Amino acid sequence: MDVVLLSRLQFAVTVFFHFIFVPLTLGLSIMLAVMETMYVRTGDEMYKRMVKFWGKLFIINFTLGVVTGITLEFQFGTNWSRYSEYVGDIFGSLLAIEATAAFFLESTFLAVWWFGWEKVSKKMHCFAIWMVAFASNLSALWIIIANGFMQNPVGYVIRNGRAELDDFFAVITNPYSMGQYPHTVIASWMLAGFFVMGVSAWHLLRKNEEAFFKKSFKYGAAFALVFAVTVAISGHHQGNLVAKLQPAKLAAMESHWETMKGAPMNLLVMPDEANEKNAVEALGIPNVLSILAFNDPNAEVKGLKDFPKEDRPPVLITFLSFRVMVGLGTLFPLLAGLAWLWREKIQEKPWLLKSLIYTIPLPYLAIMFGWAVAEVGRQPWIVYGMMRTNDAVSPVPASSVLTSIIAFVVVYSLLGVLDIYLLRKYAQKGPKKA
């Protein structure tokens, strides 16, 4: 088998599995900080119970997220050594900052928070969870800045046959990263809102701790609604950046083959990549693609045929991933809006409560498909316009990569089962009695 394909498959498996845990960590840390702030301000013991219950689920998720994240950085050395050699001066420094600053800060204050109940003052304890939330989201920032360099390389010079850091400020203010970061983080906060709503809905249907879970449900509904709307706004901004910086990716996202001004958006499309056209193309809305890409109804949108075949991303995967992400992203504000509208009498809407339980996986799927758009749409480049993926792999036998993939799948499957078991167990168990 092809070592490039196997290495890509291995990284995809590990990064997507790791990313099951990351969004909930980012979002739930913020919700915990808000709940504990309310406890400190009001002295209401209900808030303290909420922090302890949701905090236990947070700790389970955080722990497994750390375990699955460690292996990712090793792969740059084992499977992508040529990439590391070529851009390691830049990429390595960003990952080092993330590990030594953000993760260290996060872990330190997490220990203070988890073990500090009744041992430090209320305000200090509350400060600790805010620092955990800040550091978690700061950690994501450095990861996305590193990924942003792969999407839109800036701040470097080619010297001695490799990319070396020339302008650190340009790297950390990369416009691609500055658009990608809010979109990713806001989506994670929205996911946490749906997670809290879904678990609360399960208990409300069974009339368990109704006051506790009704208050939790309101927090989840508020989070989900605010961030379901803002993630769509940030997504539009990110689309503008993709149109400007990665026009081939945008064309693949829409299966747009011909360059044209005032480009329409077709609601019904089936790509036919082999024949460089769409097998089905219907229900076009005039000028909408130009508006979405450039905020100008008459703007020119470049088609895939204007890019050499060897520089085009895989169209079908990019197109379908984008459509699924957008479709789910359209559903979330509607569900969150209904939940917020009926928050006071939510127990009279059992159909909505049942729907919200089954909705828990959907924000995860939306985020996964969003990452597929970002990463598959960047192909065939590992660093856009600078280094091809085929040139980045380590000179190792394909059999070695295949063996490690099998090992990863087995271990990660066990961790996944453990995570679902623990989250389900403690979510269904509910809070300790007051």
Side-chain angles (χ1 to χ4, degrees):
M1 294 184 70
D2 179 15
V3 70
V4 177
L5 178 62
L6 288 172
S7 296
R8 288 182 61 190
L9 183 61
Q10 179 168 314
F11 197 80
V13 167
T14 50
V15 78
F16 276 99
F17 192 86
H18 174 59
F19 216 68
I20 291 173
F21 307 100
V22 173
L24 187 59
T25 296
L26 298 181
L28 202 50
S29 65
I30 297 285
M31 295 190 74
L32 288 170
V34 173
M35 290 173 184
E36 186 154 355
T37 301
M38 291 304 298
Y39 168 59
V40 172
R41 289 188 61 186
T42 66
D44 186 343
E45 289 292 320
M46 175 76 83
Y47 284 114
K48 184 177 180 180
R49 294 179 69 215
M50 287 168 65
V51 174
K52 288 199 170 187
F53 172 71
W54 296 109
K56 188 174 290 181
L57 302 183
F58 170 79
I59 288 290
I60 294 168
N61 188 75
F62 174 86
T63 304
L64 287 167
V66 171
V67 172
T68 55
I70 291 171
T71 57
L72 282 173
E73 297 191 14
F74 290 145
Q75 288 181 52
F76 290 112
T78 55
N79 292 12
W80 303 99
S81 61
R82 286 172 174 154
Y83 165 80
S84 299
E85 183 180 356
Y86 191 63
V87 299
D89 188 51
I90 303 161
F91 198 77
S93 63
L94 298 172
L95 294 186
I97 293 171
E98 186 273 334
T100 55
F103 182 66
F104 180 75
L105 191 68
E106 182 182 20
S107 303
T108 302
F109 278 97
L110 184 63
V112 173
W113 178 73
W114 184 246
F115 297 107
W117 286 106
E118 321 304 339
K119 295 183 178 67
V120 298
S121 70
K122 287 182 180 178
K123 289 184 178 179
M124 181 62 217
H125 198 268
C126 185
F127 176 72
I129 189 60
W130 273 111
M131 290 304 294
V132 170
F134 168 74
S136 298
N137 288 273
L138 180 65
S139 179
L141 174 64
W142 286 108
I143 295 296
I144 287 177
I145 287 174
N147 183 262
F149 180 81
M150 300 169 74
Q151 303 282 354
N152 179 44
V154 295
Y156 70 94
V157 293
I158 300 297
R159 188 181 293 132
N160 300 320
R162 58 193 294 272
E164 295 184 2
L165 185 61
D166 180 60
D167 186 345
F168 184 69
F169 184 74
V171 173
I172 63 174
T173 58
N174 188 336
Y176 192 95
S177 308
M178 295 303 102
Q180 189 179 24
Y181 179 69
H183 189 51
T184 306
V185 167
I186 291 171
S188 302
W189 297 350
M190 178 197 72
L191 178 148
F194 275 101
F195 178 83
V196 170
M197 272 202 299
V199 174
S200 300
W202 189 88
H203 284 281
L204 287 173
L205 281 169
R206 288 158 182 75
K207 303 187 184 305
N208 299 334
E209 292 273 5
E210 290 182 87
F212 178 96
F213 283 108
K214 195 169 180 182
K215 190 181 282 283
S216 294
F217 185 90
K218 289 178 184 176
Y219 271 83
F223 252 67
L225 178 58
V226 169
F227 297 120
V229 174
T230 49
V231 75
I233 297 170
S234 66
H236 174 67
H237 176 62
Q238 183 66 6
N240 291 157
L241 290 169
V242 170
K244 179 181 177 183
L245 302 173
Q246 297 182 333
K249 178 190 285 184
L250 177 79
M253 287 159 60
E254 292 291 345
S255 192
H256 179 69
W257 295 94
E258 306 287 347
T259 297
M260 64 177 71
K261 292 183 177 179
M265 181 179 181
N266 296 297
L267 298 180
L268 186 58
V269 175
M270 178 56 68
D272 181 0
E273 197 166 352
N275 294 304
E276 298 187 308
K277 65 176 186 178
N278 291 325
V280 176
E281 187 174 289
L283 303 177
I285 307 175
N287 305 91
V288 169
L289 181 54
S290 291
I291 294 172
L292 292 175
F294 298 103
N295 299 324
D296 177 355
N298 298 311
E300 180 179 277
V301 180
K302 206 169 178 181
L304 283 161
K305 287 184 180 178
D306 275 4
F307 298 93
K309 284 187 178 181
E310 64 272 20
D311 289 348
R312 297 176 193 168
V315 176
L316 185 61
I317 298 175
T318 310
F319 169 81
L320 291 177
S321 299
F322 179 65
R323 292 282 166 134
V324 173
M325 179 189 71
V326 171
L328 290 173
T330 306
L331 175 67
F332 297 144
L334 176 63
L335 279 173
L338 290 176
W340 176 252
L341 182 67
W342 289 325
R343 64 191 183 281
E344 297 295 345
K345 51 182 180 181
I346 191 63
Q347 288 145 295
E348 298 173 16
K349 310 289 181 185
W351 63 270
L352 182 56
L353 290 174
K354 290 177 184 173
S355 300
L356 289 170
I357 295 171
Y358 293 111
T359 300
I360 291 176
L362 298 186
Y364 287 94
L365 290 175
I367 290 176
M368 296 293 180
F369 280 109
W371 270 106
V373 173
E375 301 308 300
V376 177
R378 191 189 63 229
Q379 300 303 319
W381 306 99
I382 192 167
V383 183
Y384 197 74
M386 183 175 166
M387 184 182 201
R388 290 181 182 275
T389 305
N390 288 349
D391 299 327
V393 294
S394 301
V396 295
S399 57
S400 299
V401 184
L402 181 61
T403 303
S404 57
I405 288 178
I406 295 170
F408 273 124
V409 169
V410 171
V411 173
Y412 278 21
S413 296
L414 292 174
L415 288 173
V417 170
L418 177 65
D419 179 63
I420 292 170
Y421 169 76
L422 290 175
L423 283 178
R424 181 175 177 176
K425 176 182 175 181
Y426 287 103
Q428 291 184 344
K429 192 174 181 180
K432 286 185 177 179
K433 300 296 179 186

